[in-house]
Amino acid sequence: MTNSAEWQRMFLEWPTSIQRRGIVTTVLDEQIPFKGFMTTDKMLLLERSNPDQLGARFIVLEYGSVAALKYIDPLRPDNFTGLGFVGKFSS
């Protein structure tokens, strides 16, 4: 699977136990805080937490533009099992 396909799966299969908000980092190193999102097979629509410097509240990205995803809420390892993650965090 390509990196683009992995990011697509991450958003399409977002677990219900995790709020649909966080921070996306793009391949251009832009940090995009979001408070919600919608998906298609090829595109990701993010609702920004706050408008950007130009006043934009929404941004559409190709999945291939996503470099990282940061979660802002406290989570447990079992929140991620639905995405295929296995193992434990050390204590």
Side-chain angles (χ1 to χ4, degrees):
M1 231 187 266
T2 66
N3 190 38
S4 178
E6 286 297 318
W7 286 118
Q8 176 189 25
R9 187 178 73 81
M10 196 79 139
F11 283 95
L12 289 174
E13 297 177 13
W14 192 279
T16 57
S17 63
I18 300 175
Q19 292 192 34
R20 295 169 68 95
R21 62 185 183 185
I23 302 168
V24 164
T25 302
T26 70
V27 294
L28 298 176
D29 205 27
E30 179 183 6
Q31 304 286 315
I32 306 170
F34 66 94
K35 64 179 183 177
F37 65 87
M38 296 173 72
T39 60
T40 70
D41 287 341
K42 301 203 184 278
M43 307 294 275
L44 175 63
L45 171 65
L46 299 174
E47 181 181 9
R48 293 178 179 271
S49 301
N50 297 302
D52 69 8
Q53 296 168 339
L54 300 173
R57 296 180 181 274
F58 295 90
I59 185 167
V60 178
L61 300 170
E62 293 179 310
Y63 291 108
S65 297
V66 177
L69 172 61
K70 300 176 186 181
Y71 297 93
I72 59 175
D73 296 305
L75 299 170
R76 299 177 318 278
D78 60 325
N79 292 120
F80 298 97
T81 57
L83 294 171
F85 289 95
V86 296
K88 298 179 184 180
F89 293 117
S90 60
S91 33

